[in-house]
Amino acid sequence: MYTLPQEPSSIARLLDNSFRLFSSGFAKVIGIGLMLAASYIAFAFLTALTMGVPPDGSGASPEGFKHNFAAFFAALFGFTLFTFLFYGAIIYRLDNMTHQRQDTLLAALGAGLKKLPNMLFATILYTLALAIGMLLLVVPGVILGLSLSFYWIFIMVDNLGAYASLKASHKLVWGHWWRTL
């Protein structure tokens, strides 16, 4: 059984703990991972159909994309929400596993669905922060990308809102750049 570390550790110990977490949680998340993989394949197929790619794969038709522009972006938005839901469920299940709580796949999906608005809004804020950081100079964009990257975990595990999760992620990473990287 995996136990949470209680203090900062070396890189070797961090990698060892990561491998133990992976092997302990694999059975809990493999079903969700397979569903995500199937959805990625289905979305790629839908995108190929929307873009007017012929069966021989010779290239996309600009006319096909123009004709199906709204359908493509509606499907993209739905696919984004679907993946957010499933990634939230993965985080929820791994948190329950590390704290030795029992859950079901439906409970995990329900938790992901409940947090979907916060995940969507936080992702929009994260994307805007990254865009502004990259426009200023590449280095601020990289710093923001790393320091804000744990916001989903704070949303799912600590029940924080969109902005609070971004702040908590930044506070967690600040001063621990190399360990985080």
Side-chain angles (χ1 to χ4, degrees), residues 96-128:
N96 282 339
M97 187 218 41
T98 57
H99 290 97
Q100 299 173 356
R101 296 184 299 246
Q102 294 297 318
D103 67 358
T104 63
L105 177 61
L106 285 178
L109 291 172
L113 185 62
K114 181 180 170 187
K115 305 291 180 167
L116 202 55
N118 280 336
M119 286 189 285
L120 184 61
F121 186 55
T123 300
I124 291 169
L125 292 176
Y126 176 80
T127 304
L128 287 173

Side-chain angles (χ1 to χ4, degrees), residues 22-75:
F22 171 78
S23 59
S24 296
F26 185 76
K28 286 277 210 183
V29 298
I30 186 65
I32 299 170
L34 290 173
M35 287 187 270
L36 269 171
S39 70
Y40 281 112
I41 293 167
F43 185 71
F45 182 70
L46 178 66
T47 301
L49 288 176
T50 304
M51 298 290 285
V53 176
D56 64 359
S58 59
S61 162
E63 289 78 30
F65 182 70
K66 286 179 192 174
H67 179 66
N68 296 318
F69 186 75
F72 172 75
F73 279 102

Side-chain angles (χ1 to χ4, degrees), residues 144-155:
L144 285 172
L146 181 62
S147 72
L148 301 176
S149 62
F150 296 108
Y151 69 96
W152 275 27
I153 295 169
F154 283 105
I155 290 172

Side-chain angles (χ1 to χ4, degrees), residues 126-145:
Y126 176 80
T127 304
L128 287 173
L130 246 59
I132 291 168
M134 289 295 185
L135 285 175
L136 293 174
L137 198 59
V138 173
V139 174
V142 171
I143 289 171
L144 285 172

